[in-house]
Amino acid sequence: MDKRLYKSSTDKKLDGVCGGIAEYFNVDSTIIRLAWVLFSALGGSGILAYIIAAIVMPRKPEEL
């Protein structure tokens, strides 16, 4: 089975981007969210990156 990056449908606060990244790398989503906040605070481009990721990343297909 191929490993694909999807937005999380269960672990989400806004749109599931951080939850999806955490599922992909098999880490806790809190770590990804904290890293994203630091990235946004230090560089300022984290908000733009989140918006782009929310648009580009597909939702995880529902399994039947």
Side-chain angles (χ1 to χ4, degrees), residues 7-64:
K7 290 188 235 179
S8 177
S9 58
T10 56
D11 185 14
K12 62 182 186 177
K13 299 293 180 189
L14 293 177
D15 198 35
V17 173
C18 291
I21 293 171
E23 289 175 5
Y24 183 81
F25 289 110
N26 199 22
V27 296
D28 187 25
S29 61
T30 304
I31 295 171
I32 301 297
R33 288 186 181 104
L34 287 173
W36 209 291
V37 167
L38 287 174
F39 181 63
S40 297
L42 296 177
S45 61
I47 296 169
L48 179 62
Y50 189 92
I51 293 169
I52 291 170
I55 293 170
V56 173
M57 286 175 63
R59 293 232 175 262
K60 191 171 192 176
E62 297 297 322
E63 301 197 18
L64 301 174

